[in-house]
Amino acid sequence: MSEFHSLANLIKRLEVATTRLEDLAMSSSSATTVAANATHTTPTTTDTAVPASNEIPPAVEEHDAAIQGALDKYISLSEELGGVVAEQAHLVKQAVDAERDIIYISTLSQKPDMSSGTFMKLLEPIQTALSGIIEIKDKNRPSPFFNHLSVVAEGIPALGWFTCEPTPVPFIKNMKEAAQFYSNRVSKEWKDKEPVHVEWAQSFLAFIESLAGFVKAQFTVGLSWNSTGEKPENMIGKSLANEHDGTSSIPPPPPVSDIPPPPPPPPPMVIPEGEASSKPQGAAAVFAEINKGSSVTAKLRKVDKSEMIHKNPSLRQGSVVSAPGSPPKRQGPPTPNKPDKYILKKAAKTSLEANKWVVENHENNSSVLIEDTAINQAVYIYNCKNSTICIKGKVNAVTIDSCVKCGIAVDSTVSTVDIVNCKSFALQVFNVTPTIAIDKCDSGEIYLSKNCLGVEILSAKSTSLNVLLPEGDADDAEFKEVPVPEQFKTTIVDGKLVTVTIEHTG
């Protein structure tokens, strides 16, 4: 019944505030009359103050009956262990009280939107307690009780069951299983030393289990709210402990003072009719300017022929026409580029990381050699300049990325050789590779062996690519250079696009 007392108290206060505002708005009343009216209406609120309500909703009573025994045992054993375990237990008690307040608020309030700021403010007390519990665990990792702290930190999020709809009970079970992992560690470590630690771990798990039993019995599909209750905004900061102690979250009315209220505001300023109509405003002012006729352009000057762009094409180079008689602005010198010696260079790197060879940032190095390769290893070459990289043996794949003026020699690959964002590169395959993919490259040469003539070359957005083919079977045979086509012709045949290479003959 406490919600109805709070609502009646709120209505009385609104009536008092309305009466005072009406008295202040009467300009004909004197300050003494207004003060007398305010003093006369004050006893109404004082006489109808809401008495302290000691009634606890049935849902809260069921909650206390279900978990209080296990919770008290856990807190008692935590205080016996002392230290950070007891400190964390005090925060657990605060989190349980905050969860208990949420159940109490649900009996008085309508259901808030769980993504709204109002719901977030209702959750602030329990979030603060949960954050403190996890923070204690993180700050005490070297502690011998770290597993104890982890048991609580992993299981206490179960108190947020009311945010999980429509399956809060499985959520609590999952949190219990997470706590069980560290509970087993506590039992294994302390069962032969001090059995009280094992009893402590079991008491916390019993507390979580009792919470799951309560939720399963009362709120199987989620927390139920009062559809005819107050707005959720009015419940922010409301606590069952405050209500039980006789205090209320609704602030008391302001105290009555003997000082009379301030006088009413001055009357609005009256503008003489002549001044108001002398100058038109808004759209009327725009039409008044238009109706002036030829005087509208009186302030405009005539454009000289030397300033007309259609008669002086040179003026089109600039976006602004200078006024007559003003000297032309001189363009400053361009900002020079930063010299290479001032650019930070990254250290060169050639290393095997897991199953990938990484070759990076080599410059002016013609002796980069990768040996002891395996068929399951890949090679990644990045940001090298004016260097030569030789890869011995058969590898899975080779990727060459953002290299300039580099030569890469490859024995064999299982899959592909990928070349991306490279300029002036050269690739030589001594044995065989099934596919060569080239993307966004410029000026590249690909030397193929006689065993690699069945290769597939895939190119996109690339220019000046040449493939060099051996003319004979000898090892020292000359190479024949064949360009990769760059120009294509597309026609429409029977409703389909047909693209062919453009060949130039002369």
Side-chain angles (χ1 to χ4, degrees), residues 250-268:
I250 303 176
V256 179
S257 175
D258 295 336
I259 302 175

Side-chain angles (χ1 to χ4, degrees), residues 161-177:
W161 59 268
F162 50 85
T163 62
C164 299
E165 296 178 352
T167 56
V169 177
F171 171 75
I172 300 176
K173 296 290 186 181
N174 291 337
M175 296 301 103
K176 180 188 174 183
E177 292 175 0

Side-chain angles (χ1 to χ4, degrees), residues 26-42:
M26 296 174 60
S27 59
S28 59
S29 300
S30 62
T32 304
T33 305
V34 175
N37 291 337
T39 305
H40 179 70
T41 56
T42 302

Side-chain angles (χ1 to χ4, degrees), residues 378-397:
V379 181
Y380 180 70
I381 304 171
Y382 173 73
N383 195 32
C384 294
K385 297 180 180 179
N386 197 24
S387 300
T388 302
I389 299 97
C390 184
I391 304 172
K392 297 292 186 179
K394 190 173 186 179
V395 296
N396 185 23

Side-chain angles (χ1 to χ4, degrees), residues 27 31 48 112 165 194 199 207 226 254-255 259 278 299 312 315 368 403 427:
S27 59
T48 60
E165 296 178 352
E194 298 181 30
E199 186 180 359
F207 158 65
N226 188 348
I259 302 175
S278 59
K299 297 182 180 180
N312 296 275
L315 297 177
V368 181
C403 295
L427 171 66

Side-chain angles (χ1 to χ4, degrees), residues 272-338:
E273 185 176 354
E275 296 182 6
S277 59
S278 59
K279 294 183 179 180
Q281 302 292 331
V286 177
F287 287 106
E289 291 290 334
I290 296 176
N291 293 331
K292 288 183 179 180
S294 59
S295 60
V296 175
T297 59
K299 297 182 180 180
L300 300 179
R301 67 179 183 86
K302 186 176 181 181
V303 180
D304 190 74
K305 293 183 179 180
S306 61
E307 300 174 3
M308 297 180 181
I309 295 180
H310 65 282
K311 292 187 177 181
N312 296 275
S314 60
L315 297 177
R316 298 177 183 174
Q317 299 177 359
S319 59
V320 179
V321 179
S322 58
S326 60
K329 293 183 179 180
R330 295 184 179 180
Q331 187 176 3
T335 304
N337 295 329
K338 185 181 293 187

Side-chain angles (χ1 to χ4, degrees), residues 8-69:
N9 186 25
L10 182 61
I11 294 174
K12 289 293 183 180
R13 290 183 56 207
L14 289 175
E15 292 177 354
V16 173
T18 304
T19 304
R20 294 188 63 186
L21 291 175
E22 290 175 352
D23 293 337
L24 290 175
M26 296 174 60
S27 59
S28 59
S29 300
S30 62
T32 304
T33 305
V34 175
N37 291 337
T39 305
H40 179 70
T41 56
T42 302
T44 305
T45 304
T46 305
D47 296 340
T48 60
V50 177
S53 175
N54 295 325
E55 297 182 4
I56 300 178
V60 178
E61 292 180 346
E62 294 288 342
H63 173 270
D64 296 344
I67 73 169
Q68 197 62 46

Side-chain angles (χ1 to χ4, degrees), residues 419 438-443 459-465 485-486:
I419 308 174
I438 307 172
D439 188 16
K440 300 178 183 178
C441 295
D442 183 32
S443 301
S459 62
K461 299 181 181 180
S462 301
T463 57
S464 302
L465 301 180
E486 298 179 17

